[in-house]
Amino acid sequence: MKPRLLSFALSALLLPSAMAAAQTMEFGCPDVGTTFTFDSGTKVVSRGRDGMDCKMDTVGGAPFKVRGLILANPAPDGADTSAFIAALRPERLWPLEVGKKIEARYSAGGRTWNYILSVPLAEKRPGPGRAMIDTFVVEMNEQGDKGERSVSRWWISPADKYAIRFDSTNSAGVANRAVVTEVTR
């Protein structure tokens, strides 16, 4: 076999296994003391782990927990999201793996919402300092019983063990985003 052909054949054999290994992420929280600065100026500091929750403090604000690196309790508006988190059980997505999907239903106040949470892809994207970093995209599709819809996406960095970007939009035209601009260890 010619050297170039042999090199191509070996690459073809080894590449899929390298890609497969890079397509999963075990759960973990950021190292204690790691500070994330968002484009809004908000800073949060990692305070450790409690099961599938990462304990965080907002600098100048209240502590909170993030279940499965996705859902905060209390929510950014201060609301108690315990029942919502218990219904969705986002920890079922872990370990993150491209193609993984879970479904859930949440009911409150006579209303019901259906959820599909998935890991549609892993991609490189600009992270803090504009460096290209590996991320897993977690997507949550929500549909209310009166036709409301929303899509939320988290870009979770295996290196930082945190969502470095969040985007959401809903059928009422409301959009939100949060982007980590700096990570300090």
Side-chain angles (χ1 to χ4, degrees):
M1 193 176 264
K2 293 183 179 179
R4 189 181 300 169
L5 186 56
L6 178 60
S7 175
F8 176 76
L10 286 174
S11 295
L13 289 173
L14 296 175
L15 188 58
S17 63
M19 287 175 56
Q23 297 294 313
T24 62
M25 177 184 168
E26 294 297 325
F27 179 77
C29 294
D31 294 336
V32 173
T34 302
T35 301
F36 297 90
T37 303
F38 289 86
D39 57 346
S40 65
T42 300
K43 292 182 178 191
V44 298
V45 181
S46 176
R47 296 298 183 210
R49 179 175 174 176
D50 181 11
M52 291 300 288
D53 292 328
C54 295
K55 299 185 295 184
M56 309 296 289
D57 282 340
T58 303
V59 174
F64 63 98
K65 292 183 179 181
V66 180
R67 174 65 53 95
L69 295 178
I70 301 171
L71 300 174
N73 190 22
D77 67 0
D80 181 355
T81 56
S82 299
F84 179 67
I85 290 170
L88 266 60
R89 297 185 356 248
E91 62 273 13
R92 296 179 296 150
L93 274 178
W94 293 89
L96 294 182
E97 180 178 356
V98 172
K100 195 167 197 177
K101 177 174 85 168
I102 62 171
E103 295 184 26
R105 173 174 268 168
Y106 174 67
S107 297
R111 303 284 317 278
T112 300
W113 294 268
N114 293 304
Y115 294 86
I116 298 173
L117 288 92
S118 64
V119 183
L121 66 130
E123 68 178 3
K124 283 198 177 287
R125 74 169 297 115
R130 299 301 231 179
M132 294 300 288
I133 62 171
D134 293 322
T135 65
F136 281 86
V137 178
V138 172
E139 185 173 277
M140 181 171 74
N141 285 282
E142 173 184 26
Q143 183 171 357
D145 56 10
K146 296 186 185 209
E148 310 92 341
R149 294 181 179 273
S150 71
V151 176
S152 299
R153 290 182 188 90
W154 294 261
W155 283 263
I156 298 177
S157 162
D160 298 312
K161 298 179 200 148
Y162 203 70
I164 59 144
R165 182 179 178 100
F166 169 78
D167 289 325
S168 70
T169 57
N170 68 27
S171 55
V174 177
N176 290 301
R177 81 174 173 96
V179 178
V180 172
T181 57
E182 182 180 7
V183 178
T184 308
R185 290 178 174 73

